[in-house]
Amino acid sequence: MLQPGVLTLAATPIGNPLDASVRLQRALGEAELVAAEDTRRLNRLVSELGVEPSARILSYHEHNEAERTPVLLEALAAGQRVLIVTDAGMPVVSDPGFRAVRAATEAGFEVTVLPGPSAVLTALAASGIAPDRFAFEGFPPRRDGKRASVFEPLAGEQRTLIFFESPRRTAATLAAMARAFGPDRPAAVARELTKTHEQVVRGSLAELVAWAEAGEVLGEVVIVVAGAEPSAASAAALLGEVLARVEAGERMKDATRAVARGVSGVSASELYDLVLAERAR
């Protein structure tokens, strides 16, 4: 049962409405204020669940979080049962909600969570890639240069990496990953999870690039990339090779990228910092 004056975050189905928890259904019926990322999707969900909410419905998305958060706090202060739901999955995780959680806790209100479906964990479990240590990286930048600047420091990361991506940018993102992590790095693309046309494609990044470029990628996409294999080579041991390339006329940034690309467990940014430190001596 929802508690008065408590901010509740509720996970919603990522595709199949039958994944809705009993607690979510009860919460939708009990709430006095529901902040929804998309009110139309909320209306569709409650209709599919057979729930008749009596709550005030408030649009609450990334473009109006700042102005709408005080409304949520006012409702909490008045002792109302306030619920936040997003289009799919858990609020806050690459979705609206964090601003409200921070404001509510700073104001002394309790925050609780109704757990449920997660695209991150569903994709990880289905990927066939090591799940023991992983990092969720959210959506990569849209532009090539910024995307590369995010991927390159992750080249030596030994944890499994998980990303969300738009279907329109999936092919370009996989190609950028292949350049940064190496074409042979194991990965998986999970699309339309829990829906009728659910698909998980597994292979090397090079194979996934070919798959994505061969046809139109549709639906919501999660990309899972295996972590780098531990390497006996240290960054310091590669310093000489980078310096030799630089002395031969190669740009330092290009040299560090080229050397790091051939060695797992060592990032280009780490090598770059070592070269700067060596030159400063």
Side-chain angles (χ1 to χ4, degrees):
M1 178 178 178
L2 293 188
Q3 297 299 313
V6 174
L7 178 65
T8 301
L9 311 176
T12 55
I14 59 177
N16 192 326
L18 294 178
D19 291 333
S21 70
V22 173
R23 294 180 69 192
L24 171 63
Q25 296 179 61
R26 289 180 178 175
L28 289 169
E30 295 173 357
E32 294 165 282
L33 174 63
V34 177
E37 183 179 10
D38 186 326
T39 57
R40 292 170 298 180
R41 285 204 179 192
L42 174 63
N43 290 333
R44 187 159 60 247
L45 176 63
V46 296
S47 175
E48 290 171 333
L49 298 179
V51 176
E52 296 184 5
S54 58
R56 173 189 174 193
I57 307 298
L58 182 72
S59 172
Y60 190 76
H61 49 73
E62 62 176 329
H63 301 298
N64 67 10
E65 273 189 281
E67 63 184 78
R68 294 287 170 87
T69 294
V71 178
L72 304 188
L73 296 186
E74 290 173 5
L76 292 171
Q80 293 186 11
R81 299 175 176 88
V82 179
L83 180 69
I84 294 180
V85 294
T86 52
D87 290 352
M90 181 62 69
V92 179
V93 182
S94 285
D95 273 332
F98 174 69
R99 190 187 297 268
V101 170
R102 185 168 58 183
T105 55
E106 288 176 352
F109 296 108
E110 184 180 347
V111 176
T112 189
V113 176
L114 304 185
S118 165
V120 174
L121 297 181
T122 303
L124 176 63
S127 69
I129 295 173
D132 49 340
R133 297 177 64 239
F134 65 91
F136 174 59
E137 296 290 334
F139 283 92
R142 298 184 179 189
R143 296 184 178 179
D144 290 340
K146 290 185 177 180
R147 191 159 44 202
S149 70
V150 168
F151 290 160
E152 286 173 4
L154 294 173
E157 174 60 66
Q158 295 182 18
R159 292 176 295 178
T160 295
L161 301 172
I162 305 172
F163 301 85
F164 286 165
E165 189 50 287
S166 159
R168 297 187 304 276
R169 294 189 295 272
T170 296
T173 292
L174 289 170
M177 288 176 172
R179 289 191 293 271
F181 305 151
D184 296 328
R185 182 80 67 92
V189 175
R191 52 175 293 274
E192 292 292 84
L193 288 169
T194 78
K195 299 179 183 177
T196 302
H197 301 292
E198 175 179 296
Q199 181 183 27
V200 180
V201 184
R202 305 170 184 86
S204 68
L205 282 171
E207 291 170 336
L208 293 178
V209 170
W211 165 79
E213 292 179 344
E216 185 180 9
V217 178
L218 300 174
E220 297 179 351
V221 172
V222 185
I223 301 174
V224 183
V225 183
E229 291 292 335
S231 173
S234 67
L238 300 171
L239 181 59
E241 184 179 348
V242 174
L243 290 174
R245 284 173 172 264
V246 172
E247 290 173 3
E250 193 170 350
R251 287 198 320 158
M252 187 163 68
K253 182 177 291 188
D254 294 336
T256 54
R257 285 179 181 174
V259 174
R261 190 177 296 125
V263 181
S264 62
V266 178
S267 71
S269 60
E270 185 180 6
L271 280 173
Y272 190 89
D273 291 341
L274 277 173
V275 174
L276 289 180
E278 180 69 17
R279 286 185 156 187
R281 290 182 180 180

